[in-house]
Amino acid sequence: MAVITPVLERADANLPQSLDRLFDLVRIQSISTDPGFKAECRKAAEWLVAELRALDFDASLRETPGHPMVVGHHAGANPSAPHLLFYGHYDVQPVDPLDLWEAPPFEPALKEVEPGQKVITGRGTSDDKGQLMTFVEALRAYKETKGSLPCRITILFEGEEESGSPSLKPFLEANAAELKADYALICDTGMWDRETPAISAGLRGLVGEEVVVKAADRDLHSGLYGGAAANPIHILAGILAGLHDGTGRVTLENFYDGVEETPSDIRAMWSKLDRTAEKFLGEVGLSIPSGEKGRSVLELTWARPTAEVNGIVGGYTGEGFKTVIASQASAKVSFRLVGRQDPGKIRESFRAYVRARIPADCSVEFHPHGGSPAIQLPYDSALLNTAKAALSEEWPKPAIVIGMGGSIPIVGDFQKMLGMESLLVGFGLADDRIHSPNEKYELTSFHKGIRSWIRILDALAA
Amino acid sequence: MAVITPVLERADANLPQSLDRLFDLVRIQSISTDPGFKAECRKAAEWLVAELRALDFDASLRETPGHPMVVGHHAGANPSAPHLLFYGHYDVQPVDPLDLWEAPPFEPALKEVEPGQKVITGRGTSDDKGQLMTFVEALRAYKETKGSLPCRITILFEGEEESGSPSLKPFLEANAAELKADYALICDTGMWDRETPAISAGLRGLVGEEVVVKAADRDLHSGLYGGAAANPIHILAGILAGLHDGTGRVTLENFYDGVEETPSDIRAMWSKLDRTAEKFLGEVGLSIPSGEKGRSVLELTWARPTAEVNGIVGGYTGEGFKTVIASQASAKVSFRLVGRQDPGKIRESFRAYVRARIPADCSVEFHPHGGSPAIQLPYDSALLNTAKAALSEEWPKPAIVIGMGGSIPIVGDFQKMLGMESLLVGFGLADDRIHSPNEKYELTSFHKGIRSWIRILDALAA
């Protein structure tokens, strides 16, 4: 019997209680983007501190100008094993539109959706509370079986990931000595499919900008002023419509500086994966790739930069009609970056593009959000290969190395500020509806996720 | 002493009580577009019925599928004088954004803004409660002075004018015999300036359409799907941006069918009016005409058709950021029509234009609103000339005949369904902020408006 078999068995036996604990955490409404939920964010942090202390961590809540961090330290049983830093985030996305949820978002439940397939429902179950708890529960199984942890472990949970992590960089800077480890483990990504675990090696960066176009100094009656007064919605629509050309390329000046074509061997590997546009988009009711023409959906979402409007509002949006010309209209626009695209230059290029389209009697305001470059992790490091082998033991199919559409800025910060290589392993699925109503996390993701970390910890500590 | 001098004096003496009554009416929150205010609309109608009965009208509240009508009849003192129908509306626009109001919108007040210049503040004070009460108070002064009214008068108040008047046409049809009079008087328009009364002869029509663009069957994470999945905000922005060409003309097919150039003598008259782009737009913080190039602001707002987006919403619009690709986005678009433009054909042309721009894996929904052709009243009828002379007696400067940017569909209905010519006289000012926060009505508009109707009634009854 392998040395870790009892640990895995303990994790299996613990599962009902592990679920209860996850439910407790999901019930806390830790929406970080909405100031109305500030106290709930703190509550989630306090809950995690208590959990870590129960596992003999020297854990504490650490204040920031925003939501608090949770930091915990455990020496582990083996001083010669590598020191690992684990990162996750306890904050969650807003839940609107609430009426599209089949069950209240903060009342988690276990639901059998197919015979043999159970899901954990609720906001944050997949992003990222369910994921971070796979690691915590793996540690618990270890501690309960072996009396200690296999190596020295530092834990960092933040509460602002969904808000652009404004406090993270200063916190890493101020606490670099305390947080520096040999490797960082991050659990905020997905599987390739239900049977195939994945390690993410490429991550797109992110630049966000809110644009507010201002025209008249008050809302106007479109009967009195229509046809003569500037309409900020028209101006904004023109700006947003002009962001892409007819081939789907982003039109901003110098936007593609630092973007390189994906190596042909990587594209060849990706082309063998069964991720056609029909399948990938079919899952969400679409079928036609909307971005740059002539590229696969994997390339579009993993290796190409984008400009997406995430929200727009202006004028009268209530029931019925109001023939008004609004005094202002606004949009939230985000750019996903790849390669060596410079977030600061992209932001400036966008602002210049917008300013050039504002009539002389109107004005524009910008509110920046986030700003992180893309990350490319090595495709064949020791860390990655060890984890790949461990994951392949646990799941029906061998682990693969993939790109990633989203951005996890902390990977770059760990690299630059703490000189740590990161391992990105997660157990989410494409249909988890993260950031949408009816978010869920597969019970299998949770259970085998816990078991996966036990195997990875064991392999890395060896 | 002219025969009407005692009536005018009575109106002057009544002014404080007239104001109290207007305040009572303004306090009723009769927002017709919002179903939450249905009971308040009914209350406003009932209040008006009681007011008319107090003036010896045979008045009643008349049910419709929407908000009720108010109809009242008075035989008048002189059976050989013309029978006049007066129309106004008791419903008001929504009040959002509420935080921009300096005082609660339904707590009317009299406020001195400059020495000698008092304004009545509150939603509906100018559009249209203050205006319709000028007529009611004129009748009261008549009745109190002469014991009766100078001619037979029928009154029609509706409660759905700000919602596109869905019940009006069926009501006119069903009650044509009861409502038919010799002339219709409508008080829902404005003065040329503080000293110059105006009679409106040209009114633009209106077609409204709400467009809902639907893409994925759920909101998507822009990191996972960005660059591959259709973004309905992009599609909608493209549609709206394409509605106008570089010269400001509307691009819809056959849009300008039935639009004729304004006769040169009319344009010459308008060009003498001191309404430059700088002045007209300067009042609202703008300076550059935004519509068709090479035309004056008077022509743009009185005699040219328009396409205006009145509202847009999609994706995340709360505080902070949410990197979501929305499942849908919607806009409310309205067209102002002139000449013989056909509302039905404009609507179809718009829908065809939109449908042609919806990707094959997305869909679109339309929700129609309103639909009325433009109206052109004669420039030199007996009715108009009589009113023009009466108004010129009351105000510092002679009355002028103007075009009008907004649409008052009932004018066309009166013409087509009841064979009545309408007279459009109103006392609103361009800076009344109708449909906006901080709506007001000048005390002078109210006071001299009452006096103006006394003079017009006297002249028409003679």
Side-chain angles (χ1 to χ4, degrees):
Chain A
M1 191 167 85
V3 172
I4 56 159
T5 305
V7 186
L8 295 171
E9 285 172 355
R10 174 60 72 125
D12 297 346
N14 277 356
L15 188 60
Q17 291 76 42
S18 300
L19 266 178
D20 286 345
R21 283 184 285 267
L22 173 57
F23 282 19
D24 283 346
L25 180 57
V26 171
R27 281 189 197 101
I28 305 175
Q29 307 185 19
S30 47
I31 301 170
S32 62
T33 52
D34 186 336
F37 292 87
K38 194 169 159 57
E40 288 285 293
C41 290
R42 189 171 193 89
K43 197 173 153 191
E46 285 167 349
W47 187 94
L48 285 162
V49 167
E51 282 301 304
L52 293 180
R53 286 184 181 159
L55 296 174
D56 294 341
F57 271 78
D58 173 12
S60 57
L61 185 147
R62 307 280 283 269
E63 301 297 345
T64 76
H67 303 298
M69 302 279 174
V70 173
V71 177
H73 298 284
H74 193 296
N78 179 1
S80 65
H83 173 194
L84 304 177
L85 173 78
F86 179 85
Y87 164 89
H89 65 90
Y90 64 79
D91 62 321
V92 299
Q93 280 277 316
V95 295
D96 57 293
L98 196 56
D99 58 345
L100 295 187
W101 287 79
E102 286 162 17
F106 295 109
E107 295 177 18
L110 194 63
K111 191 173 145 188
E112 184 152 30
V113 288
E114 302 273 341
Q117 189 201 351
K118 289 185 180 167
V119 302
I120 308 159
T121 62
R123 172 56 87 227
T125 49
S126 176
D127 182 17
D128 183 44
K129 289 174 174 175
Q131 303 245 61
L132 74 85
M133 286 301 286
T134 58
F135 192 78
V136 172
E137 294 300 320
L139 298 184
R140 188 186 313 274
Y142 246 110
K143 180 181 165 278
E144 289 178 0
T145 316
K146 309 271 188 189
S148 185
L149 305 184
C151 59
R152 180 175 165 199
I153 289 180
T154 295
I155 282 192
L156 172 65
F157 294 137
E158 76 156 320
E160 303 182 327
E161 201 273 345
E162 305 293 3
S163 316
S165 299
S167 308
L168 189 60
K169 230 181 256 212
F171 189 80
L172 292 185
E173 231 161 51
N175 301 279
E178 178 183 354
L179 295 170
K180 163 105 180 85
D182 295 310
Y183 299 115
L185 312 179
I186 299 178
C187 191
D188 196 18
T189 53
M191 310 261 298
W192 170 250
D193 61 26
R194 304 194 114 67
E195 301 191 315
T196 316
I199 299 173
S200 301
L203 295 99
R204 294 196 289 189
L206 179 71
V207 166
E209 279 280 302
E210 182 168 358
V211 191
V212 186
V213 177
K214 300 187 165 191
D217 58 16
R218 71 198 73 159
D219 286 356
L220 305 174
H221 187 306
S222 75
L224 294 178
Y225 287 91
N231 184 325
I233 302 179
H234 297 191
I235 298 164
L236 187 60
I239 287 167
L240 301 178
L243 274 177
H244 297 87
D245 68 15
T247 70
R249 276 173 74 90
V250 176
T251 57
L252 299 186
E253 205 167 342
N254 302 322
F255 183 75
Y256 289 92
D257 283 3
V259 178
E260 270 163 35
E261 287 299 323
T262 308
S264 57
D265 59 327
I266 303 289
R267 275 189 297 169
M269 188 188 88
W270 290 348
S271 72
K272 288 186 201 123
L273 297 171
D274 185 30
R275 180 73 54 107
T276 61
E278 292 70 26
K279 276 199 178 172
F280 176 63
L281 294 174
E283 283 172 11
V284 296
L286 296 171
S287 59
I288 309 166
S290 73
E292 292 175 87
K293 305 266 182 263
R295 297 182 187 270
S296 72
V297 289
L298 284 187
E299 203 184 349
L300 288 172
T301 55
W302 287 352
R304 299 299 300 175
T306 67
E308 294 283 350
V309 186
N310 302 119
I312 187 168
V313 67
Y316 183 68
T317 61
E319 207 167 329
F321 238 84
K322 190 169 160 182
T323 51
V324 73
I325 299 178
S327 62
Q328 66 172 56
S330 65
K332 296 177 204 273
V333 182
S334 66
F335 301 91
R336 298 282 170 183
L337 311 186
V338 304
R340 289 168 290 99
Q341 279 181 299
D342 180 323
K345 286 185 181 163
I346 299 285
R347 194 185 299 284
E348 278 318 308
S349 177
F350 175 65
R351 290 184 174 187
Y353 162 86
V354 171
R355 285 197 190 101
R357 280 151 188 84
I358 302 293
D361 60 347
C362 298
S363 64
V364 63
E365 268 178 20
F366 297 98
H367 303 284
H369 171 83
S372 59
I375 300 291
Q376 185 65 49
L377 292 167
Y379 272 94
D380 59 356
S381 69
L383 173 67
L384 183 141
N385 286 328
T386 304
K388 200 171 160 186
L391 284 166
S392 301
E393 288 285 307
E394 174 62 25
W395 294 85
K397 294 191 180 164
I400 61 170
V401 180
I402 62 173
M404 231 192 92
S407 61
I408 304 188
I410 196 171
V411 178
D413 297 334
F414 283 164
Q415 200 169 58
K416 275 178 295 183
M417 299 171 67
L418 304 184
M420 283 191 292
E421 184 186 340
S422 293
L423 174 74
L424 281 86
V425 169
F427 310 99
L429 290 176
D431 65 357
D432 278 355
R433 292 183 291 271
I434 65 170
H435 296 211
S436 297
N438 302 311
E439 179 174 351
K440 59 88 180 164
Y441 196 47
E442 300 279 321
L443 181 59
T444 303
S445 293
F446 188 58
H447 182 191
K448 290 176 87 65
I450 296 168
R451 292 173 54 98
S452 296
W453 284 121
I454 292 169
R455 293 184 189 275
I456 292 171
L457 285 173
D458 186 67
L460 289 176
Chain B
M1 191 167 87
V3 173
I4 56 157
T5 304
V7 185
L8 294 171
E9 287 172 355
R10 174 60 71 124
D12 297 345
N14 278 354
L15 189 61
Q17 293 76 44
S18 300
L19 266 178
D20 286 345
R21 283 183 285 266
L22 172 58
F23 281 20
D24 284 346
L25 180 57
V26 172
R27 282 188 195 103
I28 306 175
Q29 307 186 17
S30 47
I31 302 170
S32 62
T33 51
D34 185 335
F37 293 86
K38 194 171 159 55
E40 288 285 294
C41 289
R42 190 173 194 87
K43 197 172 153 191
E46 285 166 348
W47 187 93
L48 285 163
V49 167
E51 282 301 304
L52 292 180
R53 285 184 182 157
L55 296 174
D56 293 342
F57 271 77
D58 173 12
S60 58
L61 184 147
R62 308 281 283 269
E63 300 297 345
T64 76
H67 303 298
M69 302 280 175
V70 172
V71 178
H73 298 285
H74 194 295
N78 179 2
S80 66
H83 174 195
L84 304 177
L85 173 78
F86 180 85
Y87 164 90
H89 65 90
Y90 65 78
D91 63 320
V92 300
Q93 281 277 317
V95 294
D96 56 291
L98 194 57
D99 58 346
L100 295 187
W101 287 79
E102 286 162 16
F106 295 109
E107 294 177 17
L110 193 63
K111 190 174 146 187
E112 184 152 28
V113 289
E114 302 273 341
Q117 189 201 352
K118 289 184 179 171
V119 302
I120 308 159
T121 61
R123 172 56 89 224
T125 49
S126 176
D127 183 16
D128 183 44
K129 289 172 173 174
Q131 302 246 58
L132 73 83
M133 287 301 286
T134 58
F135 192 78
V136 172
E137 294 299 321
L139 298 183
R140 187 184 316 273
Y142 247 111
K143 182 183 161 278
E144 289 178 1
T145 316
K146 308 271 190 188
S148 184
L149 306 183
C151 59
R152 181 178 164 195
I153 289 181
T154 295
I155 281 191
L156 173 64
F157 293 138
E158 76 156 320
E160 302 182 328
E161 201 270 348
E162 304 293 2
S163 318
S165 299
S167 309
L168 188 61
K169 232 182 253 213
F171 189 81
L172 292 184
E173 230 160 49
N175 301 280
E178 179 184 351
L179 296 170
K180 164 105 180 84
D182 295 310
Y183 299 115
L185 312 178
I186 300 178
C187 190
D188 196 17
T189 52
M191 309 263 295
W192 171 249
D193 61 26
R194 302 194 117 71
E195 302 191 314
T196 317
I199 300 173
S200 301
L203 294 99
R204 292 196 291 190
L206 182 71
V207 165
E209 280 279 302
E210 182 168 356
V211 191
V212 187
V213 176
K214 299 185 166 195
D217 58 16
R218 72 198 70 157
D219 285 356
L220 305 175
H221 187 305
S222 76
L224 295 177
Y225 288 91
N231 185 325
I233 302 178
H234 297 191
I235 298 165
L236 187 61
I239 287 168
L240 301 178
L243 274 177
H244 296 88
D245 69 16
T247 70
R249 276 174 73 89
V250 177
T251 58
L252 299 186
E253 205 165 342
N254 301 321
F255 183 75
Y256 289 92
D257 283 4
V259 178
E260 272 163 33
E261 287 298 325
T262 308
S264 58
D265 58 327
I266 303 288
R267 277 189 296 172
M269 189 187 88
W270 291 347
S271 72
K272 287 186 201 126
L273 298 172
D274 185 31
R275 181 73 56 106
T276 60
E278 291 68 28
K279 276 200 178 173
F280 177 62
L281 295 174
E283 283 172 11
V284 297
L286 296 171
S287 59
I288 309 166
S290 73
E292 295 174 85
K293 304 262 183 267
R295 297 180 187 273
S296 71
V297 290
L298 284 187
E299 203 184 349
L300 288 172
T301 55
W302 287 352
R304 298 300 300 176
T306 67
E308 294 284 349
V309 185
N310 303 119
I312 187 167
V313 67
Y316 182 68
T317 60
E319 207 166 329
F321 237 83
K322 190 170 160 181
T323 51
V324 72
I325 299 178
S327 60
Q328 65 172 57
S330 65
K332 297 179 203 271
V333 182
S334 65
F335 301 91
R336 299 281 169 180
L337 312 185
V338 303
R340 287 166 292 98
Q341 278 181 301
D342 181 323
K345 286 184 181 163
I346 300 284
R347 192 184 300 284
E348 278 320 308
S349 178
F350 175 65
R351 290 183 174 188
Y353 162 86
V354 172
R355 285 196 189 101
R357 280 151 187 85
I358 301 293
D361 59 347
C362 298
S363 64
V364 62
E365 269 178 20
F366 297 98
H367 302 284
H369 171 83
S372 60
I375 301 291
Q376 186 62 50
L377 292 167
Y379 272 93
D380 59 356
S381 69
L383 173 66
L384 181 140
N385 286 327
T386 303
K388 201 170 159 187
L391 285 166
S392 302
E393 287 286 306
E394 174 63 26
W395 294 84
K397 293 190 181 166
I400 61 168
V401 180
I402 62 173
M404 231 193 92
S407 62
I408 305 187
I410 198 171
V411 178
D413 298 335
F414 284 164
Q415 197 169 59
K416 275 179 294 183
M417 299 171 69
L418 304 184
M420 280 191 293
E421 183 187 340
S422 294
L423 175 73
L424 281 85
V425 169
F427 310 99
L429 290 176
D431 65 357
D432 278 355
R433 293 182 291 270
I434 65 171
H435 296 210
S436 297
N438 303 312
E439 181 175 351
K440 59 87 180 165
Y441 196 46
E442 300 279 319
L443 180 61
T444 302
S445 292
F446 187 58
H447 183 192
K448 290 177 86 67
I450 297 168
R451 292 172 54 99
S452 296
W453 284 120
I454 292 169
R455 292 183 189 276
I456 291 171
L457 285 172
D458 186 67
L460 289 175

